[in-house]
Amino acid sequence: YERIQDRLEALPGVRSATMPPFPLLASSAGSYSFSVPGYVPKPDERMNARVLHVGSRFFETMGLPIALGRGLEPQDRDGAPLVAVANQALVKKYMEGATGLGRTISFGRDGENPVEIVGIAGNAKYDRLRGDVLPTLYIPMRQSLDTLNAAFFEVRTTREPLSMAPDARKAVAAVNPGLPLYEIKSQTQQIDQLLLPERMFA
């Protein structure tokens, strides 16, 4: 998958490419329970966050700003200290006025395998347009390979997006001719698909 990403980034007109766990605005996102040292949940409060296991150059490609600290970098790999980028909504809700940088979170309630927050991302809606921005954590895909069962690629380009489809197919075939490549669409088409039911009702 990383070799495919490298080849996509090398195509003419491509500014950057990344691997998200789900396409942007496709009504898909994972949710996990987590705990924050020092934060005491309210009675019956469930601490859940959107968790996105993302590839390198995710924030640059998706245009998501890093408000504090850093994004996820190539050295955030298997065997390296566990890190994450939190969004501002998560910090505001669970960090009690702190910036969030350097704080740790743990998945589940046992406090094992703490993950250090190395960056704070601006709030953004990922899975759908309606509703509030939810607390979100971005985890390096290289540190969560057990979650990887398929790959989506997002490509930011200076060219007309769909004109790149033949070149993208060649880039994938150069790595492995047997890999299927499907559902190629522009981000505009993805948003149109998301809004189709509402437009039909209207």
Side-chain angles (χ1 to χ4, degrees), residues 99-186:
T99 66
L101 285 180
R103 297 286 298 272
T104 60
I105 58 99
S106 297
F107 293 105
R109 298 183 179 274
D110 53 14
E112 295 181 355
N113 300 318
V115 178
E116 180 184 357
I117 296 175
V118 296
I120 309 300
N123 288 333
K125 295 182 178 180
Y126 193 89
D127 56 335
R128 64 194 68 220
L129 292 170
R130 306 301 183 198
D132 297 330
V133 174
L134 299 175
T136 303
L137 288 164
Y138 302 92
I139 306 291
M141 188 175 291
R142 266 290 188 174
Q143 293 187 342
S144 51
L145 291 177
D146 57 332
T147 68
L148 185 62
N149 53 23
F152 297 93
F153 292 91
E154 297 274 3
V155 179
R156 181 172 290 275
T157 174
T158 59
R159 296 163 54 185
E160 197 285 318
L162 293 181
S163 71
M164 296 194 56
D167 290 341
R169 292 188 183 279
K170 291 177 183 177
V172 173
V175 176
N176 186 332
L179 288 178
L181 186 63
Y182 57 95
E183 290 194 25
I184 298 177
K185 63 186 72 172
S186 68

Side-chain angles (χ1 to χ4, degrees), residues 25-90:
L25 297 175
S27 298
S28 298
S31 182
Y32 293 78
S33 62
F34 70 102
S35 60
V36 176
Y39 181 85
V40 180
K42 300 175 180 63
D44 299 324
E45 179 182 9
R46 297 185 62 187
M47 294 179 62
N48 286 333
R50 288 278 188 263
V51 176
L52 300 172
H53 304 90
V54 301
S56 61
R57 306 202 69 186
F58 174 80
F59 295 98
E60 300 95 314
T61 304
M62 306 309 291
L64 298 181
I66 297 295
L68 289 172
R70 66 173 179 87
L72 303 177
E73 299 176 354
Q75 67 264 26
D76 300 322
R77 307 173 71 84
D78 187 31
L82 300 178
V83 298
V85 170
N87 74 344
Q88 292 168 323
L90 185 144

